[in-house]
Amino acid sequence: MWPADIEVQAGQIIAQCTAHALKVATAESCTGGLIAGALTEISGSSAVVDRGFVTYSNEAKVAMLGVETATLTAHGAVSRQTAIEMARGAVRNSAADFAVAVTGIAGPSGGSVEKPVGLVHLAAAGRSGALLHREMRYGDIGRSNVRLATVRTALDMLIQIAQAE
């Protein structure tokens, strides 16, 4: 179902978390649950994946993850600040040791000069306070390709944050 490289990444996360009794959560906007889907494709993931939040709307980001309305007003949904608040909210509202969050513009519509199609902000946060952020500009490579590239980047960030926990 998944490209081989994504299965390898997801398998690494599940193995690493299993070995260290760690749990993970996801907070997804533009990927709509694909990151959680990639993780749960791996046997044994039920011992590792605590939950996934699909917060496509701003209202869901506020209600489910505690993203501040002021953050959304000042910076927009697709921003470093929102991604970080999403990741921290996923940790706070779960039993996970760490979480990854993504928010972006997959296209083909919705882009602007300031925030073009293919712009994605990702954040990973740990219960210990560890924090990562990446701003990716994948370009207008097609909706599916932006979403798959985002999954790859998010899984890479989960591998990194798991090592910090």
Side-chain angles (χ1 to χ4, degrees), residues 11-165:
Q12 287 175 334
I13 294 161
I14 300 303
Q16 190 173 1
C17 290
T18 300
H20 299 286
L22 296 171
K23 292 203 174 279
V24 64
T26 63
E28 303 182 60
S29 187
C30 63
T31 50
L34 290 176
I35 301 162
L39 290 169
T40 57
E41 185 72 18
I42 306 301
S43 179
S45 60
S46 60
V48 170
V49 178
D50 180 64
R51 67 193 71 191
F53 299 91
V54 176
T55 56
Y56 214 71
S57 70
N58 287 350
E59 294 78 13
K61 289 173 182 64
V62 171
M64 296 171 71
L65 299 171
V67 173
E68 296 289 332
T69 303
T71 300
L72 294 166
T73 301
H75 304 285
V78 181
S79 66
R80 175 185 192 275
Q81 296 84 350
T82 297
I84 289 170
E85 287 188 27
M86 288 173 66
R88 288 181 170 155
V91 171
R92 186 176 52 252
N93 295 321
S94 72
D97 297 288
F98 55 91
V100 68
V102 301
T103 182
I105 304 165
S109 61
S112 67
V113 172
E114 299 83 27
K115 295 185 180 184
V117 169
L119 172 64
V120 179
H121 284 273
L122 303 95
R127 199 163 289 283
S128 68
L131 182 67
L132 301 171
H133 168 264
R134 287 190 195 167
E135 176 182 312
M136 303 303 293
R137 292 180 179 264
Y138 299 114
D140 192 357
I141 58 173
R143 185 175 184 83
S144 294
N145 289 328
V146 168
R147 289 164 43 106
L148 280 175
T150 301
V151 170
R152 287 181 176 98
T153 304
L155 293 175
D156 182 58
M157 291 176 74
L158 283 175
I159 291 167
Q160 286 185 307
I161 200 94
Q163 292 169 347
E165 283 302 303

